Amino acid sequence: MPRGQKSKLRAREKRHQARSEAQGAPDAQVTDAAEEQPSAAPFPPLGGARSQDEERPSTSQAQPSTDHYRRTPLDDKAILLVQFLLRKYNMREAITKEDMMKYVIKKHKEHFHEILRKASELMVLAFGIDLKEIDPTRHYYALVSKFQHTCDNRLRGEEIMPTTGLLMTILCVIFMKGNRATEEDIWEVLNVMGIYADRKHFIYGDPKKLITQDLVQERYLQYQQVANSDPPRYEFLWGRRAHAETSKMKVLEFLAKIHNTVPSAFPSWYEEALRDEEERATARFAARLRMGALASVHSRAHFGSFSHL
């Protein structure tokens, strides 16, 4: 075998061996996703605040090219770190900087923050999960879902779903498109991610069925005919569970994370997300008042029934 081919084979074997160190339940999906789609940002560069002041950027703008993308050692470390984090989660073990440095980062200690940033972006994109430092003194971290299933949205139990990142992407496109997005808009973005309506996907199976049936039946999405369209065209809106379990601000944070910026870099969407947060807070407060009033009435009625004995 020529020397060049031997060296490539040895390098490939070393990468495979390194990956096996952090192997966990959902790990193969993360590794395969990185291999098949190395530059996985689902949205084109939006130009930040400037482009929003002038015009709402469309998802049909030129997409970032992956032709010249080359994985670096730091990218490989980031993938290993994602696998390590998922393994820690599956084993219900604490996530600490010390363990990350010891078992994953190793000799790349000076690049810890860069590797952590890349891993965090992968976690958001693949699973809709944020990695957050919950104890800055001892450097403890937690996985935080973009979907709030409980009052504390730190992940508990078996909540990591491979469809979450895809769902967040779809919800983001819907939000960007004025809270409703045509089927063409959705597939235009998903095609950039290597997800096609007529092609089986190694994680999502049948993407068209997942999006137009499964997520609709689970009430995360609404799928309906565009009014007065002839021939018929279809559009997506947020479903009831999406409204209940996530928010426009979380979706905007998802978009900002992908572009390594902050939600306020998209002023008009940020303002809309803030209004949504205020409306949610008002609704929660009103609900508490109603519950308090009902509890008070029930308490008085209960006390009155005893007073007549």
Side-chain angles (χ1 to χ4, degrees), residues 2-36:
R3 184 180 302 172
Q5 292 183 7
K6 285 182 179 178
S7 62
K8 287 181 180 178
L9 180 60
R10 281 196 298 270
R12 189 178 302 165
E13 288 173 348
K14 285 181 180 179
R15 287 198 300 271
H16 179 75
Q17 183 178 357
R19 287 180 188 130
S20 66
E21 294 175 4
Q23 196 78 22
D27 302 351
Q29 294 174 344
V30 176
T31 305
D32 290 346
E35 293 284 358
E36 183 166 315

Side-chain angles (χ1 to χ4, degrees), residues 14-301:
K14 285 181 180 179
R15 287 198 300 271
H16 179 75
Q17 183 178 357
R19 287 180 188 130
S20 66
E21 294 175 4
Q23 196 78 22
D27 302 351
Q29 294 174 344
V30 176
T31 305
D32 290 346
E35 293 284 358
E36 183 166 315
Q37 191 69 21
S39 180
F43 305 103
L46 299 180
R50 181 190 60 79
S51 63
Q52 279 221 318
D53 288 340
E54 297 169 3
E55 179 183 8
R56 282 204 168 200
S58 166
T59 53
S60 62
Q61 293 179 43
Q63 306 294 343
S65 172
T66 62
D67 294 343
H68 304 293
Y69 182 89
R70 293 292 179 270
R71 282 249 299 275
T72 68
L74 297 188
D75 294 326
D76 289 331
K77 281 291 181 182
I79 293 169
L80 284 176
L81 183 54
V82 169
Q83 296 171 355
F84 176 79
L85 294 171
L86 293 173
R87 181 176 176 80
K88 280 284 190 181
Y89 166 78
N90 289 333
M91 297 178 69
R92 305 295 185 268
E93 295 179 353
I95 299 172
T96 66
K97 179 180 179 180
E98 181 182 0
D99 283 347
M100 287 189 272
M101 297 289 276
K102 181 178 179 180
Y103 297 111
V104 181
I105 306 300
K106 297 179 180 178
K107 65 180 181 180
H108 293 84
K109 292 180 180 178
E110 69 275 17
H111 299 295
F112 171 74
H113 292 292
E114 175 68 9
I115 294 169
L116 188 68
R117 181 186 65 78
K118 288 174 178 284
S120 296
E121 290 174 354
L122 281 173
M123 292 290 285
V124 169
L125 183 58
F127 299 106
I129 294 169
D130 270 330
L131 175 67
K132 294 196 173 182
E133 190 173 29
I134 56 174
D135 187 338
T137 303
R138 295 185 297 168
H139 300 292
Y140 275 61
Y141 292 79
L143 301 181
V144 180
S145 175
K146 291 291 187 184
F147 283 82
Q148 182 138 4
H149 301 287
T150 63
C151 58
D152 177 3
N153 59 344
R154 278 184 289 178
L155 286 169
R156 315 286 190 195
E158 301 298 330
E159 290 187 36
I160 292 182
M161 299 182 297
T163 58
T164 304
L166 176 66
L167 177 57
M168 286 297 291
T169 298
I170 295 170
L171 295 177
C172 195
V173 176
I174 294 170
F175 177 39
M176 291 163 62
K177 289 291 185 178
N179 299 310
R180 58 181 65 229
T182 66
E183 193 166 7
E184 293 84 357
D185 290 332
I186 299 297
W187 287 113
E188 186 172 6
V189 172
L190 296 186
N191 288 173
V192 176
M193 299 170 63
I195 302 170
Y196 302 92
D198 57 352
R199 190 182 305 174
K200 285 279 186 181
H201 192 271
F202 66 104
I203 292 178
Y204 306 121
D206 182 344
K208 187 173 179 64
K209 177 179 178 294
L210 173 65
I211 293 168
T212 62
Q213 296 181 38
D214 298 344
L215 291 176
V216 172
Q217 290 172 0
E218 292 171 12
R219 296 180 298 165
Y220 282 114
L221 296 174
Q222 288 185 45
Y223 181 63
Q224 62 189 34
Q225 184 175 337
V226 176
N228 303 317
S229 60
D230 185 20
R233 295 170 60 238
Y234 292 86
E235 63 183 0
F236 289 91
L237 291 79
W238 283 31
R240 290 176 60 186
R241 284 187 68 181
H243 283 290
E245 295 180 13
T246 192
S247 66
K248 291 179 179 179
M249 186 60 76
K250 286 186 178 180
V251 164
L252 193 57
E253 288 170 354
F254 172 84
L255 177 65
K257 188 99 172 182
I258 291 169
H259 289 282
N260 194 27
T261 185
V262 293
S264 57
F266 310 102
S268 60
W269 294 327
Y270 185 62
E271 289 174 10
E272 184 175 346
L274 284 176
R275 288 195 299 271
D276 182 62
E277 293 292 300
E278 292 173 0
E279 290 169 3
R280 286 169 176 268
T282 301
R284 285 194 297 268
F285 181 69
R288 289 194 195 100
L289 287 179
R290 286 195 298 272
M291 291 298 293
L294 287 172
S296 178
V297 169
H298 177 75
S299 177
R300 285 198 300 270

